[in-house]
């Protein structure tokens, strides 16, 4: 009988040794600082983790032999799905992964506290996310991130900030070279007849036809009007000529900064100054001719009706914000993209 009892006690001891190891040293983040942890105790580490603005995955380790649950505690944003755990309950020592989506703020660090409970004790762990920073080719204006160049071939930006780039018809992803006549364009136009339910008939540029690089989109008419102005009286742009002094190879608009600053900017410092250069371009018309090359023209993702709209037109002394007269969808014009970001509170 005693022999059986000894065997049972031994089995329990072995079981305890397998489930946790006492006083095992755990290295956290910096190897210069060693934190002693007892894996038999109910605990979570690290107690706080930092995630960069682009998002990523962090791991938390729960120790002990208890059954536990996790719930969301304090969050400093209205949205709560930006950080998602792969487990919300478990038993014993477990690694829990937290997946964090890309930040959407330049001014607010997102944070979320998780409450880990074994029914008797509640522990806290926190995730803090860094702020967005602008890339060298991005400019923040009116709460939107704008590319500093027009679109080139589908999925790519033009090589230079004063390049016209490639030209696009409304809600089509086919690129046409700007700045010269193209007789092939006539055949492409004549072979395509819009009809009910067709992509040209829609009032918005659809994602499947988006020519912008991944993570970018064609701006709406309102967004372009907010950037450049909706009339000549409300024009928010400063006109500049292409000169040896400023380095621009063609005429265009500078937007996003005070006019007194815009007038002195050059090709080298315009982006770093928080401004955009929009080159004078024109469009490819339905006859395959390069037309209206005295205009600053941008396609918008908003149309007026089945045939008209979807272009912002402006020049010195003239601005047509919505393209009522000259915004036919069949014409091809340059595109300037904005970054796809969900604006947070």
């Amino acid at each position: 009988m005693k022999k059986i009892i000894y065997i049972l006690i031994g089995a329990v001891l072995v079981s305890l040794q397998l489930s946790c190891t006492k006083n095992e040293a755990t290295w956290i983040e910096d190897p210069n600082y060693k934190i002693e942890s007892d894996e038999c105790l109910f605990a979570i580490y690290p107690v706080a983790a930092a995630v960069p603005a682009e998002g990523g995955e962090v791991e938390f380790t729960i120790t002990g032999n208890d059954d536990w649950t996790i719930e969301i505690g304090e969050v400093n944003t209205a949205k709560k799905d930006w950080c998602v755990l792969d487990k919300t309950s478990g038993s014993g020592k477990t690694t829990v992964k937290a997946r964090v989506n890309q930040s959407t703020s330049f001014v607010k660090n997102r944070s979320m506290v998780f409450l880990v409970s074994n029914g008797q004790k509640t522990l806290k762990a926190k995730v803090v996310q860094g702020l967005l920073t602008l890339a060298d080719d991005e400019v923040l204006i009116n709460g939107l991130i704008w590319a500093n160049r027009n679109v080139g071939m589908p999925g790519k930006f033009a090589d230079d900030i004063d390049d016209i780039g490639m030209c696009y018809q409304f809600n089509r992803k086919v690129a046409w070279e700007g700045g010269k006549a193209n007789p092939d364009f006539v055949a492409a136009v004549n072979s395509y007849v819009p009809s009910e339910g067709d992509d040209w008939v829609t009032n918005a540029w659809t994602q499947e036809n988006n020519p912008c690089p991944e993570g970018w989109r064609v701006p709406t008419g309102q967004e372009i009007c907010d950037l450049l102005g909706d009339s000549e009286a409300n024009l928010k742009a400063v006109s500049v000529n292409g000169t040896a002094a400023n380095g621009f190879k063609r005429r265009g608009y500078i937007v996003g900064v005070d006019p007194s600053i815009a007038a002195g900017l050059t090709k080298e410092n315009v982006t770093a100054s928080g401004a955009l250069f929009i080159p004078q371009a024109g469009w490819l018309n339905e006859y395959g001719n390069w037309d209206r090359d005295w205009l600053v023209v941008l396609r918008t993702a908003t149309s007026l009706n089945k045939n008209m709209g979807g272009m912002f037109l402006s020049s010195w002394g003239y601005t047509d914000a919505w393209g009522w007269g000259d915004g036919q969808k069949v014409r091809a014009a340059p595109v300037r993209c904005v970054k796809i970001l969900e604006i947070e509170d």
Side-chain angles (χ1 to χ4, degrees):
M1 182 67 177
K2 288 183 178 181
K3 186 175 181 181
I4 295 174
I5 292 174
Y6 292 151
I7 292 173
L8 289 174
I9 292 174
V12 170
L13 290 174
V14 169
S15 175
L16 289 174
Q17 289 173 349
L18 290 175
S19 62
C20 60
T21 304
K22 279 186 172 293
N23 299 321
E24 180 178 313
T26 302
W27 299 87
I28 299 177
E29 298 293 337
D30 190 341
N32 295 315
Y33 297 91
K34 185 167 65 175
I35 299 176
E36 299 288 343
S37 66
D38 184 347
E39 294 201 349
C40 286
L41 297 178
F42 177 56
I44 183 169
Y45 64 87
V47 294
V51 182
E54 58 266 26
E57 191 174 84
V58 293
E59 292 185 352
F60 294 93
T61 299
I62 298 173
T63 59
N65 298 309
D66 304 82
D67 295 333
W68 50 263
T69 58
I70 301 180
E71 62 181 26
I72 296 175
E74 182 181 351
V75 185
N76 72 339
T77 62
K79 286 173 57 66
K80 295 185 179 182
D81 59 354
W82 57 268
C83 182
V84 180
L85 298 174
D86 69 338
K87 302 179 184 71
T88 57
S89 63
S91 182
K93 183 178 179 181
T94 309
T95 297
V96 178
K97 296 179 180 179
R99 187 182 72 255
V100 181
N101 296 335
Q102 178 179 305
S103 174
T104 61
S105 178
F106 288 91
V107 296
K108 185 177 184 178
N109 293 100
R110 295 196 294 197
S111 67
M112 180 178 290
V113 174
F114 295 105
L115 305 177
V116 188
S117 176
N118 66 355
Q120 298 177 329
K121 184 179 181 181
T122 299
L123 310 171
K124 293 183 179 181
K126 189 174 187 178
V127 171
V128 178
Q129 187 170 28
L131 298 175
L132 283 172
T133 56
L134 291 172
D136 292 340
D137 58 354
E138 299 175 350
V139 176
L140 178 64
I141 303 175
N142 298 332
L144 295 174
I145 301 176
W146 293 83
N148 72 340
R149 292 164 290 160
N150 286 344
V151 178
M153 294 300 291
K156 296 181 179 180
F157 289 120
D159 292 334
D160 222 338
I161 64 173
D162 48 6
D163 286 346
I164 294 173
M166 302 299 282
C167 295
Y168 294 86
Q169 296 165 301
F170 183 84
N171 200 31
R172 298 195 77 188
K173 203 174 181 177
V174 180
W176 297 94
E177 186 175 357
K180 65 178 185 180
N182 192 328
D184 293 336
F185 186 69
V186 180
V189 170
N190 291 336
S191 65
Y192 187 87
V193 180
S195 60
E196 289 291 342
D198 208 297
D199 56 0
W200 279 8
V201 177
T202 183
N203 288 327
W205 208 304
T206 56
Q207 182 57 33
E208 60 266 26
N209 292 320
N210 179 15
C212 296
E214 184 177 357
W216 297 79
R217 62 174 174 81
V218 182
T220 66
Q222 187 61 59
E223 288 166 344
I224 290 183
C225 285
D226 290 343
L227 178 71
L228 290 163
D230 57 6
S231 66
E232 185 59 29
N234 191 36
L235 189 63
K236 302 177 182 179
V238 174
S239 62
V240 294
N241 293 316
T243 66
N246 62 33
F248 296 113
K249 59 190 176 189
R250 59 172 48 87
R251 202 177 189 186
Y253 281 156
I254 289 180
V255 296
V257 294
D258 188 89
S260 61
I261 298 174
L265 295 179
T266 68
K267 183 175 177 178
E268 295 301 318
N269 64 19
V270 63
T271 300
S273 300
L276 294 174
F277 177 77
I278 313 293
Q280 179 178 303
W283 66 66
L284 194 62
N285 68 19
E286 55 270 39
Y287 306 108
N289 297 320
W290 186 244
D291 197 10
R292 306 294 199 276
D293 59 3
W294 45 273
L295 283 170
V296 170
V297 181
L298 289 177
R299 267 292 178 202
T300 85
T302 312
S303 70
L304 295 171
N305 52 46
K306 295 179 181 179
N307 299 307
M308 308 287 285
M311 279 204 286
F312 175 93
L313 319 172
S314 186
S315 187
W316 292 254
Y318 165 80
T319 296
D320 187 351
W322 302 103
W324 281 104
D326 296 307
Q328 279 85 347
K329 297 180 179 182
V330 69
R331 295 169 180 171
V335 172
R336 180 64 61 99
C337 305
V338 293
K339 206 161 195 177
I340 299 173
L341 285 176
E342 184 178 353
I343 304 301
E344 264 186 34
D345 59 312

